[in-house]
Amino acid sequence: MIVGLKEVNDLDLLKDDTLLNVSRFDLDKKTVRAMSIIIDKIFNEFDYEHSPEFIQKIAGKSEQVQCMHRKLLDQEKLKQVQKRLGESITSILDSDDAFSLVPAVYHQHLEDLKKLAQSL
């Protein structure tokens, strides 16, 4: 739900309890809000060129080949990667795919998100 709200720029809906009243527990509301902050940060600062996946793809390649790979990242490919990011975050409890898309400096955020999701 949180990823979907982020993808349509509606994370602000989580500030109001109306949407979160499905849960009877205030702790769940706090957890969902904490998760939304992490997801928002990851999405806002996401840059595929700094992902472990992309870095591995160009590692050891000549500067010309690296440049070519960067040029191939057009808007359509970046949209596909953004969609993969959403899917990988949605399935963070079942898969570690998000760790290959999100730069290593944000891996602790993914670990925190995983712990929060497990607590629900």
Side-chain angles (χ1 to χ4, degrees):
M1 171 186 77
I2 301 169
V3 170
L5 289 172
K6 175 59 185 168
E7 290 175 336
V8 294
N9 294 316
D10 278 339
L11 270 182
D12 287 345
L13 292 174
L14 295 177
K15 292 178 182 173
D16 182 8
D17 276 348
T18 306
L19 187 62
L20 296 177
N21 277 337
V22 234
S23 172
R24 297 174 298 175
F25 306 107
D26 285 335
L27 182 59
D28 287 351
K29 294 174 187 177
K30 290 178 186 176
T31 301
V32 168
R33 287 189 177 113
M35 291 171 70
S36 73
I37 290 168
I38 294 169
I39 290 170
D40 192 40
K41 182 171 187 63
I42 289 171
F43 268 82
N44 288 344
E45 298 181 19
F46 179 66
D47 182 354
Y48 182 66
E49 288 185 42
H50 293 100
S51 71
E53 180 179 278
F54 188 77
I55 291 169
Q56 183 179 15
K57 187 179 201 173
I58 63 171
K61 308 286 187 202
S62 70
E63 196 168 319
Q64 290 172 324
V65 172
Q66 289 181 19
C67 206
M68 178 198 65
H69 279 292
R70 285 187 177 91
K71 285 181 182 178
L72 290 174
L73 290 176
D74 62 10
Q75 290 291 55
E76 187 57 37
K77 288 192 190 237
L78 291 175
K79 273 185 183 178
Q80 291 171 357
V81 173
Q82 189 86 16
K83 183 179 179 190
R84 278 182 53 214
L85 175 65
E87 291 167 352
S88 69
I89 288 175
T90 301
S91 62
I92 195 145
L93 291 178
D94 303 317
S95 167
D96 287 333
D97 290 343
F99 290 90
S100 67
L101 293 173
V102 175
V105 297
Y106 296 104
H107 284 185
Q108 185 57 52
H109 292 298
L110 291 175
E111 290 292 346
D112 295 343
L113 183 64
K114 201 176 208 178
K115 287 177 188 170
L116 288 166
Q118 288 170 332
S119 74
L120 290 176

